[in-house]
């Protein structure tokens, strides 16, 4: 099968290419870009010598046509126009936000403008999701923060062990903010410093977390979400907490988590006493998860580490694409990370 | 006045010396250490050339005697024995945990063993605290995390604007873990990685946060506290959230915060829309604070940045010592940080 | 005395202000900027709360007039026009490159365009320099790399112990590249990575190093200079090596270095066996220096650490300004750094 | 084929396992360790979930026996005793220094004690080396610094374009110093700081560089080598310079480099104007190389980036093992890195 990558000069695009280069059943076809069209990939992704001499084409229906799967790693708001020109038989996997939310009002409130629609949501670990994804021809890849928070708390809500008043504080590496140069993302500003941003319920990933957890819980879940920019390039470490239901024991909590993830190829409940570090997952499609019951405060506390560019974006995209294309879900996806 | 520093070879000791070198009313007397006694300070604190040739003495009542103020930066459990040999007229400022907690049961639960006692708690910003500290001869310096969380939330609790169900997630630089080499604190392990530890209500700073906030609130406050090790040497960025009381408005919240800190020399409520970064406070005794009301989730969200070694330890110690010694509270304490 | 700072929103400007805030004999007057004029300083230098509410003015002869000293931290090529409008009685200290080089041909070769002129070169440690700087009314502050390389090797050349075929490889923090956002300076690109740039004799600081060392040696010295961008915000660590003259012994080399710097307030020859680290000098005006004789390779190897923004720019500027203004050279300049 | 890894709990061992997990022709057999024997691998290499539950055995002839290839990642001085108990038909690949040097006097001068012997040196890129490695049953893997410096300069010396007076300054990530906790390698010490060490011709990798380059040059080459510890976990960026022979042109130099590496699968001469960054090679077996002629200083300047744990240790080991085992040289070795 043949894949095109639109937005190949960005961070998500680069990670898609890194994974696809190791994918045994997918061949890399067209690489397209916006302003970088016409230059060679090596100028943007010097860590991928295998593709260094490939020229970036314009992102158009023509350049993207004729592929079995098209991965879109475009700025928000661009995917709809591209997707509608691609045939219905082509698998289109959108790493952007355009088709993630089911609720048009939430879209408008958080992103502004008109909702483009809703595509099958590509988080295979959610209950019942694999059935939806198998054979799908449109997939909305989850945001990086929602991937982390959802994987951290879905076992608790699926088992009815937590109250729907969630607090998530997640530290992210800077690559999550993309490649465009911005003053506050300069190395001199971020090294040696941690900073919060998008505080108070305004970050765009908030309604996506609520959507996922509400669906699992079967009732509305609210999330107080605070993202933190940490001085590292990659990785998300999310601390996710919710009130425990009365009578919950630590043993029952752990048992529910173990049961929920035991067949998941990419979610790993760590041995008791070990807490996730983002270094455990660098470059891997693995989520490292741990949970405990804070008996004093009466809260479930789950902590999860993922690589925001792998499991949080490009790896998640390939995982769902594998399902949609009828391939083994794990194909081409590294389980093991690069450390130290 | 003359100050001795016990534990001068460690990180807290080094920061005390850096500050005292710039203090116009305090002269540096004896420098003492444990295993490092006999070596010169330059071997441990090469950033302090002004004291490079000073020899570290043993930590004994004799070496520490004859000073107006003795700063203790010792491992937990060592301060009581040292302090009782020092005269009652000597100001003893303990950067360790031994005398912070009022509740012996909490001490035993979190630290083990027998409670050494309770000294005046050196957080001048707490209501009524300056009166206690003026003229005190024993001071327990707050822990770095409790300093951050207490300063972030005391305005809300003092004004009755938050419910006592607090969640704190705080990212700290590695210097908070001290200088002793440990496998998980090696550079190769911490660079590029964020990791949680002490999760689920077991971190020793938890009861200290609860003690402070309960005292301000006038009723029991529980804290779910998750510390996160971030890839930086210095700084704490704490996200502190609690349910808002019914009817709270963003304007009323901000007004309460502005009123609470308006005369505080070292707590700075940032302009609206600006969120704290630890780089704002590196090497300074300043806390950078911001607060908002998450109306969707119904929570007060306060974020604070401090330098864990300055305001969080050595700066806090000097600030309280200034009060105890009858000096101007700000003396010798940098308001401005080192950035970028 | 009163100082204006032109370019107050940049990194050099911020460091000048940090130092001047602690200077006992200089008061801060006008703060000016280019594109940032009209905004408050707090928006650019949030680590300087003491000046947060000061408004940035345009950089004009009027705003800069009426000060005893004007510090220019402007992009290259802008200083001449500003300086000529300031009275001859005003001390003008230029942190830019415009007036550093004596040789117009070198200027044109490395910077392009016409040479603006030559001002007294502000490196007080160079033999005979203090006499020139006392009472000067124009000062060209050395570049950060030349400061490091010159201080590292001048003792060898002054004593005739090295041959004039120098190799300098210097790792610098990213703040040396200034504040303007650039793709290769984004945090995601620089964290976890070291990269060379300006290799092969093309970096603009090369002729400045040659000028300084040639002057000390009394004969032409060539420098092969390779700058390396290191994943840190501040600091330069320069490895500087030159062939040893025949018969040189390690003892004679060390003796020459010790003699050369023994009265220097800001150059510290470290104890034997200790090698410089940039962390020793963060925020300080101190240079940490070490030297050895590589007997196998027949080379003098000197390694030096400075803070590029302090001793390498703003601290060097204040040090020379102190001399020019008839103040004590050390006034307002931190000897001790901030570590860890 | 089946491989054992001795020293599986360390950094080199972990990287060997990461690569072998992706190797299509080698199966992982015994994992052994010293003090960590008896524990599970997951406690030491949490980034390798695929092997998390494997128990570490003692490093003995029995546990290592019965494998086609045994990789030794042991402390210096331990390999000889282990190797002599393994049959001559077993391929033994030593990542340690014991068998790298041909000159017993150099061994004794730099490592102390008695030279254990000399094994075929596993740097396939050296002229004539592949013939030696094919079918070899003992291989000494080069040190990480010598790998970088040799690859950077062998084209110049092979073509007779450089004089034998080499200066190498190489910045390395901290993982090169191994996993044992040491005070100067703690995160708080290394983050934000660069420091030199082993200066003046005393670093143990110096004679290995000289051995390699002398062999290529056909005459004695001396190397002045300064290692620099940079604030990153992985990667070496080496600046390598030597006097150019008279009359050398930039074009001839580049041509020689292009010719020397054009068939090398893992050495990539970057496009002109692009300089190596360690981030280009993270986790990859690739060396990113660039060269220029500094005409002012009359020197060849080559800069190279490698991942010290991959091409610099474990990747180099697997590359040579592939040759020895009659496999394709590239098998199991990532060409592409993980970035940003």
């Amino acid at each position: 099968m043949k894949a095109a990558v639109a937005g190949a000069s960005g961070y998500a695009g680069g990670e898609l290419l890194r994974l696809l280069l190791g994918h045994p059943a997918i061949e890399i076809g067209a690489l397209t870009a916006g302003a970088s069209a016409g230059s060679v990939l090596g100028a943007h992704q010097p860590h991928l010598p295998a593709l260094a001499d490939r020229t970036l084409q314009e992102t158009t229906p023509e350049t993207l046509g004729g592929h079995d799967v098209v991965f879109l790693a475009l700025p928000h708001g661009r995917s709809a126009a591209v997707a509608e020109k691609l045939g219905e038989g082509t698998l289109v996997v959108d790493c952007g936000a355009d088709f993630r939310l089911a609720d048009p009002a939430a879209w408008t409130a958080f992103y502004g403008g008109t909702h483009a629609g809703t595509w099958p949501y590509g988080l295979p670990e959610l209950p019942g999701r694999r059935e939806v994804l198998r054979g799908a021809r449109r997939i909305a890849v989850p945001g990086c923060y929602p991937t982390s928070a959802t994987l951290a708390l879905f076992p608790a809500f699926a088992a009815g062990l937590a109250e729907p008043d969630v607090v998530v504080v997640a530290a992210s590496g800077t690559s999550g903010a993309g490649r465009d140069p911005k003053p506050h993302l300069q190395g001199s500003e971020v090294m040696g410093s941690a900073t919060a941003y998008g505080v108070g319920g305004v970050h765009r990933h908030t309604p996506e977390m609520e959507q996922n957890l509400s669906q699992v819980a079967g009732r509305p879940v609210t999330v107080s979400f605070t993202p933190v920019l940490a001085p590292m390039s990659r990785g998300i470490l999310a601390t996710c907490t919710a009130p425990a239901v009365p009578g919950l024991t630590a043993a029952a909590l752990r048992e529910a988590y173990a049961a929920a993830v035991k067949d998941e190829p990419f979610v790993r409940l760590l041995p008791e006493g070990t807490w996730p570090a983002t270094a455990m997952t660098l470059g891997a499609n693995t989520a490292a998860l741990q949970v405990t019951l804070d008996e004093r405060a009466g809260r479930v506390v789950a902590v999860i580490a993922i690589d925001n560019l792998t499991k949080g974006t490009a790896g998640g995209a390939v995982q769902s694409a594998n399902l949609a294309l009828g391939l083994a879900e794990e194909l081409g996806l590294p389980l093991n990370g690069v450390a130290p």
Side-chain angles (χ1 to χ4, degrees), chain A residues 291-337:
Chain A
V291 68
T292 195
L293 179 64
D294 181 340
E295 298 191 8
R296 291 171 56 88
R299 299 187 80 94
V300 172
V301 185
V303 179
I304 194 164
I306 62 168
D307 185 318
N308 59 303
L309 289 180
T310 321
K311 180 60 180 161
T313 307
V318 171
Q319 187 181 350
S320 287
N322 282 341
L323 284 167
L325 295 169
L327 303 170
E329 188 176 339
E330 298 93 331
L331 223 54
L333 290 168
L335 181 65
N336 302 294

Side-chain angles (χ1 to χ4, degrees), chain A residues 29 31 34 41 57 70 75 125 127 170 193-194 213 262-263 282 289 303 315 337:
Chain A
L31 310 183
L41 190 78
Q57 300 177 268
V70 175
E125 292 83 359
S193 187
L213 294 175
K262 78 172 164 14
D263 294 328
L282 194 140
L289 176 62
V303 179

Side-chain angles (χ1 to χ4, degrees), chain A residues 94-187:
Chain A
D94 184 17
C95 296
D98 297 15
F99 300 97
R100 289 175 192 159
L101 295 183
D103 177 5
W107 175 269
T108 303
F110 280 84
Y111 291 88
T114 308
H115 188 218
T118 311
W119 286 359
Y121 189 77
L123 194 61
E125 292 83 359
L126 282 180
R129 203 92 293 258
R130 287 187 173 92
E131 288 63 51
V132 176
L133 294 170
R134 282 197 188 98
R137 281 300 166 262
R138 294 290 184 271
I139 293 173
V141 179
C144 51
Y145 287 123
T147 296
S148 67
T150 307
L151 293 178
L153 287 179
F154 89 87
F157 282 109
L161 307 182
E163 304 288 355
D165 174 21
V166 168
V167 175
V168 173
V169 180
S172 173
T174 53
S175 61
R179 188 159 209 164
D180 283 345
K182 298 190 189 100
H184 74 287
L185 295 176
Q186 289 283 295

